[in-house]
Amino acid sequence: MELVERPRRLRRTAVLRDMVRETRLHPRQLIQPLFLSEGDRVEPIGSLPGISRWPVASIGEEARRLAGLGIGGVLLFGIPRDKDPLGASADAPDGVVQRGIRAIREAVGSGLVVITDVCLCEYTDHGHCGILRDGEVLNDETVERLTRIAVSHARAGADVVAPSDMMDGRVGAIREALDDAGYTGIPILSYAVKYASAFYGPFRDAAQSTPAFGDRRGAQMDPANAREALREAALDVEQGADMIMVKPGLPYLDIVRLLRESFNVPIAAYHVSGEYAMVKAAEAKGWIDGRAVMLESLLGLRRAGADMIITYAAAEAAGWLREQG
Ligand code: PBG
Protein backbone atom coordinates (compact mmCIF):
# COMPACT_ATOMS: atom_id res chain seq x y z
CA MET A 1 0.00 0.00 0.00
CA GLU A 2 1.32 3.41 -0.93
CA LEU A 3 0.38 5.85 1.80
CA VAL A 4 1.98 9.24 2.30
CA GLU A 5 0.38 9.81 5.67
CA ARG A 6 0.79 7.04 8.20
CA PRO A 7 -0.07 8.59 11.60
CA ARG A 8 0.99 5.35 13.26
CA ARG A 9 4.63 6.25 12.49
CA LEU A 10 4.59 8.62 15.44
CA ARG A 11 3.15 6.03 17.80
CA ARG A 12 5.84 3.40 17.50
CA THR A 13 7.70 3.80 20.79
CA ALA A 14 6.83 5.13 24.21
CA VAL A 15 9.50 7.84 24.06
CA LEU A 16 8.35 8.97 20.62
CA ARG A 17 4.74 9.12 21.83
CA ASP A 18 5.87 11.10 24.82
CA MET A 19 7.82 13.51 22.60
CA VAL A 20 4.83 14.38 20.41
CA ARG A 21 2.28 14.45 23.26
CA GLU A 22 0.24 17.68 23.07
CA THR A 23 -1.18 17.81 26.57
CA ARG A 24 0.41 17.00 29.88
CA LEU A 25 -0.92 16.54 33.34
CA HIS A 26 1.33 17.77 36.12
CA PRO A 27 0.66 17.52 39.88
CA ARG A 28 0.94 21.32 40.22
CA GLN A 29 -2.14 21.68 38.04
CA LEU A 30 -4.23 19.76 40.55
CA ILE A 31 -6.15 21.23 43.48
CA GLN A 32 -7.48 19.04 46.29
CA PRO A 33 -10.77 20.06 47.93
CA LEU A 34 -10.66 19.66 51.73
CA PHE A 35 -13.62 19.57 54.12
CA LEU A 36 -12.91 21.07 57.53
CA SER A 37 -15.15 20.08 60.40
CA GLU A 38 -15.50 20.98 64.04
CA GLY A 39 -15.60 17.34 65.05
CA ASP A 40 -12.64 15.73 66.76
CA ARG A 41 -12.25 12.73 64.47
CA VAL A 42 -11.38 12.20 60.83
CA GLU A 43 -14.73 11.15 59.31
CA PRO A 44 -14.69 9.30 55.99
CA ILE A 45 -17.44 10.43 53.59
CA GLY A 46 -19.42 7.42 52.37
CA SER A 47 -20.28 8.77 48.93
CA LEU A 48 -16.72 10.02 48.27
CA PRO A 49 -14.46 7.00 48.85
CA GLY A 50 -11.01 8.14 50.00
CA ILE A 51 -12.25 11.59 51.09
CA SER A 52 -12.87 12.66 54.70
CA ARG A 53 -14.00 15.53 56.84
CA TRP A 54 -10.95 16.78 58.72
CA PRO A 55 -10.85 18.28 62.18
CA VAL A 56 -8.68 21.40 62.25
CA ALA A 57 -6.30 19.64 64.66
CA SER A 58 -5.34 17.07 61.99
CA ILE A 59 -5.31 19.25 58.89
CA GLY A 60 -1.69 20.38 59.23
CA GLU A 61 -0.44 16.84 58.86
CA GLU A 62 -2.64 16.19 55.83
CA ALA A 63 -1.43 19.46 54.28
CA ARG A 64 2.17 18.33 54.69
CA ARG A 65 1.36 15.08 52.91
CA LEU A 66 -0.31 16.97 50.04
CA ALA A 67 2.56 19.42 49.73
CA GLY A 68 4.94 16.46 49.59
CA LEU A 69 3.00 15.06 46.64
CA GLY A 70 3.64 18.29 44.76
CA ILE A 71 0.02 19.26 44.05
CA GLY A 72 -0.70 22.94 43.39
CA GLY A 73 -3.12 23.73 46.12
CA VAL A 74 -6.13 23.02 48.26
CA LEU A 75 -9.69 24.36 48.16
CA LEU A 76 -11.17 24.68 51.63
CA PHE A 77 -14.79 24.11 52.61
CA GLY A 78 -15.99 24.64 56.18
CA ILE A 79 -18.62 22.53 57.87
CA PRO A 80 -19.50 24.38 61.07
CA ARG A 81 -21.23 22.65 63.96
CA ASP A 82 -23.79 25.44 64.35
CA LYS A 83 -25.73 26.77 61.41
CA ASP A 84 -28.17 29.70 61.43
CA PRO A 85 -30.24 31.69 58.90
CA LEU A 86 -27.45 34.21 58.17
CA GLY A 87 -24.51 31.79 58.24
CA ALA A 88 -22.90 33.83 61.02
CA SER A 89 -19.85 31.60 61.48
CA ALA A 90 -18.77 32.00 57.85
CA ASP A 91 -16.88 35.22 58.58
CA ALA A 92 -16.01 34.63 62.24
CA PRO A 93 -12.29 35.14 62.96
CA ASP A 94 -12.27 31.78 64.77
CA GLY A 95 -14.54 30.04 62.23
CA VAL A 96 -13.60 26.57 61.10
CA VAL A 97 -12.12 27.68 57.76
CA GLN A 98 -10.22 30.58 59.30
CA ARG A 99 -8.64 28.21 61.84
CA GLY A 100 -7.96 25.68 59.09
CA ILE A 101 -6.17 28.27 56.96
CA ARG A 102 -3.90 29.17 59.85
CA ALA A 103 -3.14 25.50 60.60
CA ILE A 104 -2.25 24.77 56.97
CA ARG A 105 -0.09 27.88 56.75
CA GLU A 106 1.75 26.86 59.85
CA ALA A 107 2.33 23.35 58.48
CA VAL A 108 3.42 24.11 54.91
CA GLY A 109 4.09 27.86 54.65
CA SER A 110 3.62 28.76 51.01
CA GLY A 111 4.15 25.18 49.82
CA LEU A 112 0.49 24.93 48.77
CA VAL A 113 -1.79 27.58 47.32
CA VAL A 114 -4.59 27.91 49.87
CA ILE A 115 -7.88 28.69 48.12
CA THR A 116 -11.12 29.16 50.04
CA ASP A 117 -14.66 28.57 48.85
CA VAL A 118 -16.64 31.73 49.58
CA CYS A 119 -20.30 30.79 49.95
CA LEU A 120 -23.01 30.61 52.56
CA CYS A 121 -24.66 27.25 51.86
CA GLU A 122 -22.45 25.29 54.27
CA TYR A 123 -23.18 27.78 57.05
CA THR A 124 -26.91 28.46 56.74
CA ASP A 125 -29.48 26.26 58.47
CA HIS A 126 -31.68 26.33 55.35
CA GLY A 127 -28.78 25.28 53.09
CA HIS A 128 -29.28 28.04 50.51
CA CYS A 129 -26.32 30.08 49.27
CA GLY A 130 -27.48 33.36 50.73
CA ILE A 131 -29.85 35.44 52.81
CA LEU A 132 -33.48 34.45 52.35
CA ARG A 133 -36.68 36.46 52.31
CA ASP A 134 -40.00 34.76 51.55
CA GLY A 135 -38.12 31.73 50.29
CA GLU A 136 -35.99 33.69 47.82
CA VAL A 137 -32.24 34.33 47.99
CA LEU A 138 -31.67 38.10 48.15
CA ASN A 139 -28.86 39.09 45.81
CA ASP A 140 -27.46 42.33 47.18
CA GLU A 141 -27.77 41.44 50.87
CA THR A 142 -25.98 38.17 50.15
CA VAL A 143 -23.19 39.92 48.26
CA GLU A 144 -22.62 42.10 51.30
CA ARG A 145 -22.14 38.96 53.47
CA LEU A 146 -19.83 37.42 50.86
CA THR A 147 -17.51 40.44 50.88
CA ARG A 148 -17.08 40.03 54.63
CA ILE A 149 -16.40 36.31 54.29
CA ALA A 150 -13.77 36.90 51.60
CA VAL A 151 -11.99 39.55 53.69
CA SER A 152 -12.02 37.30 56.75
CA HIS A 153 -10.42 34.48 54.71
CA ALA A 154 -7.74 36.86 53.44
CA ARG A 155 -7.13 38.07 56.97
CA ALA A 156 -6.64 34.47 58.15
CA GLY A 157 -4.02 33.98 55.42
CA ALA A 158 -5.79 32.59 52.34
CA ASP A 159 -3.86 32.95 49.06
CA VAL A 160 -6.91 33.00 46.77
CA VAL A 161 -10.64 33.44 47.39
CA ALA A 162 -13.16 31.56 45.27
CA PRO A 163 -16.77 32.81 45.38
CA SER A 164 -19.09 29.93 44.43
CA ASP A 165 -22.51 31.45 45.11
CA MET A 166 -23.45 32.82 41.65
CA MET A 167 -24.90 36.09 43.01
CA ASP A 168 -24.75 38.96 40.52
CA GLY A 169 -22.04 41.56 41.06
CA ARG A 170 -20.17 39.62 43.71
CA VAL A 171 -16.77 39.60 42.04
CA GLY A 172 -16.61 43.40 41.80
CA ALA A 173 -17.88 43.81 45.35
CA ILE A 174 -15.37 41.30 46.72
CA ARG A 175 -12.52 42.96 44.79
CA GLU A 176 -13.43 46.32 46.26
CA ALA A 177 -13.74 44.96 49.79
CA LEU A 178 -10.39 43.14 49.56
CA ASP A 179 -8.68 46.26 48.23
CA ASP A 180 -10.23 48.47 50.92
CA ALA A 181 -8.99 46.07 53.59
CA GLY A 182 -5.46 46.19 52.14
CA TYR A 183 -5.56 42.83 50.32
CA THR A 184 -4.87 44.16 46.83
CA GLY A 185 -2.59 41.17 46.19
CA ILE A 186 -5.17 38.44 46.83
CA PRO A 187 -6.55 37.04 43.56
CA ILE A 188 -10.15 36.00 42.94
CA LEU A 189 -10.88 32.66 41.31
CA SER A 190 -14.53 33.03 40.41
CA TYR A 191 -16.90 30.16 39.88
CA ALA A 192 -17.93 32.13 36.79
CA VAL A 193 -19.82 29.35 35.06
CA LYS A 194 -21.57 27.11 37.53
CA TYR A 195 -24.38 24.93 36.35
CA ALA A 196 -27.38 23.77 38.39
CA SER A 197 -26.07 20.23 38.26
CA ALA A 198 -27.16 16.85 39.59
CA PHE A 199 -23.45 15.95 39.86
CA TYR A 200 -23.11 17.81 43.19
CA GLY A 201 -24.96 15.11 45.15
CA PRO A 202 -22.05 13.61 47.14
CA PHE A 203 -20.70 17.10 47.97
CA ARG A 204 -23.99 18.08 49.55
CA ASP A 205 -23.79 14.93 51.66
CA ALA A 206 -20.25 15.78 52.66
CA ALA A 207 -20.96 19.42 53.47
CA GLN A 208 -24.48 18.85 54.77
CA SER A 209 -25.59 21.64 52.48
CA THR A 210 -28.60 20.24 50.63
CA PRO A 211 -31.21 23.02 50.50
CA ALA A 212 -33.95 22.38 53.08
CA PHE A 213 -36.52 23.26 50.40
CA GLY A 214 -36.39 24.05 46.69
CA ASP A 215 -33.18 23.94 44.67
CA ARG A 216 -30.46 26.24 43.32
CA ARG A 217 -31.91 26.78 39.88
CA GLY A 218 -32.71 30.39 40.74
CA ALA A 219 -28.98 31.13 40.96
CA GLN A 220 -27.01 28.48 39.08
CA MET A 221 -27.01 28.15 35.30
CA ASP A 222 -29.26 26.04 33.12
CA PRO A 223 -27.24 23.07 31.76
CA ALA A 224 -28.76 23.77 28.35
CA ASN A 225 -27.00 27.11 27.95
CA ALA A 226 -23.59 27.84 26.43
CA ARG A 227 -23.86 31.45 25.22
CA GLU A 228 -24.89 32.42 28.72
CA ALA A 229 -21.57 31.02 29.96
CA LEU A 230 -19.79 33.62 27.84
CA ARG A 231 -21.89 36.40 29.35
CA GLU A 232 -21.28 35.18 32.91
CA ALA A 233 -17.55 34.82 32.35
CA ALA A 234 -17.28 38.24 30.69
CA LEU A 235 -19.01 39.90 33.63
CA ASP A 236 -16.65 38.26 36.12
CA VAL A 237 -13.54 39.15 34.12
CA GLU A 238 -14.73 42.77 33.79
CA GLN A 239 -15.30 42.91 37.53
CA GLY A 240 -11.77 41.74 38.23
CA ALA A 241 -11.76 37.93 38.35
CA ASP A 242 -8.12 36.83 38.03
CA MET A 243 -9.07 33.26 37.13
CA ILE A 244 -12.39 31.73 36.12
CA MET A 245 -13.89 28.31 36.72
CA VAL A 246 -16.23 25.98 34.90
CA LYS A 247 -18.20 23.55 37.02
CA PRO A 248 -18.89 20.61 36.66
CA GLY A 249 -16.11 19.39 34.37
CA LEU A 250 -16.63 16.49 31.99
CA PRO A 251 -20.23 17.17 30.91
CA TYR A 252 -19.11 20.74 30.09
CA LEU A 253 -15.90 20.27 28.10
CA ASP A 254 -17.38 22.41 25.31
CA ILE A 255 -17.73 25.26 27.79
CA VAL A 256 -14.13 24.90 28.97
CA ARG A 257 -13.03 25.10 25.33
CA LEU A 258 -15.31 28.07 24.61
CA LEU A 259 -13.93 30.05 27.53
CA ARG A 260 -10.35 29.05 26.65
CA GLU A 261 -10.83 30.55 23.20
CA SER A 262 -12.57 33.68 24.46
CA PHE A 263 -10.54 34.76 27.50
CA ASN A 264 -6.89 35.00 28.40
CA VAL A 265 -7.20 34.49 32.14
CA PRO A 266 -6.29 31.09 33.60
CA ILE A 267 -9.19 28.63 33.55
CA ALA A 268 -9.99 26.06 36.21
CA ALA A 269 -12.30 23.10 35.73
CA TYR A 270 -14.03 21.58 38.75
CA HIS A 271 -14.21 17.80 38.37
CA VAL A 272 -17.03 17.58 40.91
CA SER A 273 -18.08 15.09 43.54
CA GLY A 274 -20.49 13.11 41.35
CA GLU A 275 -17.91 12.73 38.59
CA TYR A 276 -15.39 11.35 41.08
CA ALA A 277 -17.94 9.12 42.83
CA MET A 278 -19.05 7.50 39.56
CA VAL A 279 -15.49 6.40 38.79
CA LYS A 280 -15.02 5.04 42.30
CA ALA A 281 -18.33 3.19 42.23
CA ALA A 282 -17.69 1.56 38.85
CA GLU A 283 -14.18 0.65 39.94
CA ALA A 284 -15.53 -0.98 43.12
CA LYS A 285 -17.82 -3.10 40.93
CA GLY A 286 -14.81 -4.19 38.90
CA TRP A 287 -16.30 -2.64 35.77
CA ILE A 288 -13.52 -0.17 34.91
CA ASP A 289 -9.87 0.44 35.66
CA GLY A 290 -10.38 3.32 38.10
CA ARG A 291 -6.87 4.70 37.88
CA ALA A 292 -6.80 4.77 34.08
CA VAL A 293 -10.29 6.29 33.86
CA MET A 294 -9.48 8.96 36.43
CA LEU A 295 -6.26 10.00 34.67
CA GLU A 296 -8.00 10.00 31.29
CA SER A 297 -10.77 12.20 32.72
CA LEU A 298 -8.28 14.71 34.08
CA LEU A 299 -6.29 14.73 30.85
CA GLY A 300 -9.52 15.37 28.93
CA LEU A 301 -10.17 18.46 31.03
CA ARG A 302 -6.65 19.71 30.33
CA ARG A 303 -7.00 19.02 26.60
CA ALA A 304 -10.27 20.96 26.51
CA GLY A 305 -8.34 23.96 27.82
CA ALA A 306 -8.30 23.89 31.61
CA ASP A 307 -5.07 25.20 33.11
CA MET A 308 -5.87 23.63 36.45
CA ILE A 309 -8.29 21.07 37.79
CA ILE A 310 -10.02 20.91 41.12
CA THR A 311 -10.52 17.23 41.81
CA TYR A 312 -11.07 14.86 44.72
CA ALA A 313 -8.50 12.66 42.99
CA ALA A 314 -5.73 15.29 43.19
CA ALA A 315 -3.56 13.56 45.80
CA GLU A 316 -4.07 10.11 44.35
CA ALA A 317 -3.41 11.29 40.79
CA ALA A 318 -0.26 13.14 41.86
CA GLY A 319 1.04 9.86 43.29
CA TRP A 320 0.25 8.01 40.04
CA LEU A 321 1.88 10.70 37.91
CA ARG A 322 5.05 10.39 39.95
CA GLU A 323 5.08 6.63 39.52
CA GLN A 324 4.74 7.07 35.77
CA GLY A 325 7.70 9.49 35.86
C1 PBG B 1 -21.22 25.74 46.99
C2 PBG B 1 -20.50 24.64 46.31
C3 PBG B 1 -21.02 23.42 45.89
C4 PBG B 1 -19.96 22.70 45.34
C5 PBG B 1 -18.83 23.49 45.46
N1 PBG B 1 -19.18 24.70 46.04
C6 PBG B 1 -22.36 22.85 46.06
C7 PBG B 1 -23.52 23.41 45.40
O1 PBG B 1 -23.49 24.34 44.60
O2 PBG B 1 -24.58 22.88 45.74
C8 PBG B 1 -20.06 21.32 44.77
C9 PBG B 1 -18.78 20.67 44.44
C10 PBG B 1 -18.86 19.22 44.17
O3 PBG B 1 -19.92 18.64 43.88
O4 PBG B 1 -17.81 18.60 44.26
N2 PBG B 1 -20.54 26.22 48.11
Side-chain angles (χ1 to χ4, degrees):
M1 237 190 331
E2 253 182 75
L3 287 178
V4 176
E5 287 275 0
R6 287 185 186 267
R8 290 185 55 199
R9 283 179 197 134
L10 296 182
R11 299 178 194 142
R12 292 185 61 218
T13 71
V15 175
L16 184 56
R17 287 193 295 273
D18 205 13
M19 197 176 80
V20 299
R21 185 158 296 137
E22 298 173 33
T23 312
R24 286 179 201 274
L25 194 55
H26 188 277
R28 278 282 187 250
Q29 297 158 333
L30 303 175
I31 297 164
Q32 179 77 48
L34 290 177
F35 297 102
L36 290 162
S37 78
E38 296 190 290
D40 44 20
R41 285 177 305 110
V42 180
E43 294 172 289
I45 299 161
S47 52
L48 290 173
I51 304 298
S52 301
R53 298 191 194 94
W54 292 90
V56 173
S58 322
I59 201 62
E61 203 183 310
E62 174 65 357
R64 266 193 291 273
R65 183 181 80 89
L66 296 173
L69 286 165
I71 66 167
V74 291
L75 173 61
L76 305 185
F77 293 95
I79 312 165
R81 188 175 300 125
D82 303 314
K83 306 194 182 205
D84 59 59
L86 300 179
S89 65
D91 57 338
D94 61 348
V96 65
V97 163
Q98 289 78 359
R99 284 187 288 129
I101 297 167
R102 290 193 289 266
I104 293 171
R105 259 296 154 259
E106 212 165 286
V108 301
S110 49
L112 286 172
V113 177
V114 178
I115 310 169
T116 57
D117 185 86
V118 174
C119 196
L120 278 164
C121 65
E122 298 106 54
Y123 302 88
T124 53
D125 52 9
H126 44 70
H128 282 281
C129 300
I131 312 289
L132 289 184
R133 188 181 303 145
D134 302 329
E136 218 185 299
V137 179
L138 300 175
N139 193 84
D140 301 8
E141 290 78 353
T142 299
V143 168
E144 222 278 311
R145 288 282 298 125
L146 295 168
T147 62
R148 290 171 195 273
I149 299 170
V151 169
S152 94
H153 290 173
R155 194 166 284 139
D159 292 305
V160 178
V161 292
S164 71
D165 51 283
M166 292 299 278
M167 294 302 119
D168 295 326
R170 87 255 204 243
V171 172
I174 289 173
R175 184 69 271 157
E176 196 181 320
L178 286 171
D179 290 353
D180 287 350
Y183 299 107
T184 52
I186 299 297
I188 298 174
L189 163 59
S190 87
Y191 286 67
V193 180
K194 179 172 177 180
Y195 287 95
S197 170
F199 285 90
Y200 306 148
F203 173 94
R204 292 181 186 172
D205 260 8
Q208 293 146 358
S209 65
T210 306
F213 60 89
D215 54 43
R216 302 210 204 294
R217 274 181 275 194
Q220 300 178 351
M221 280 178 49
D222 182 337
N225 295 355
R227 291 190 303 265
E228 189 185 354
L230 285 175
R231 294 205 301 277
E232 280 281 4
L235 283 171
D236 283 11
V237 171
E238 274 163 32
Q239 289 173 41
D242 300 277
M243 303 182 272
I244 54 179
M245 192 196 300
V246 175
K247 176 181 168 196
L250 295 180
Y252 300 90
L253 289 182
D254 58 325
I255 306 298
V256 173
R257 165 60 46 161
L258 193 59
L259 295 201
R260 172 72 296 148
E261 284 170 358
S262 312
F263 298 93
N264 286 322
V265 293
I267 293 177
Y270 199 144
H271 178 241
V272 303
S273 57
E275 301 179 69
Y276 172 88
M278 290 194 303
V279 176
K280 291 292 174 187
E283 178 184 36
K285 289 265 192 190
W287 291 344
I288 58 171
D289 174 343
R291 168 175 168 158
V293 169
M294 202 69 92
L295 286 173
E296 188 176 330
S297 303
L298 300 178
L299 189 66
L301 289 162
R302 289 269 305 124
R303 195 191 58 245
D307 298 290
M308 61 202 126
I309 304 168
I310 300 161
T311 175
Y312 298 91
E316 203 173 27
W320 295 330
L321 293 172
R322 284 205 160 177
E323 268 172 44
Q324 286 178 9

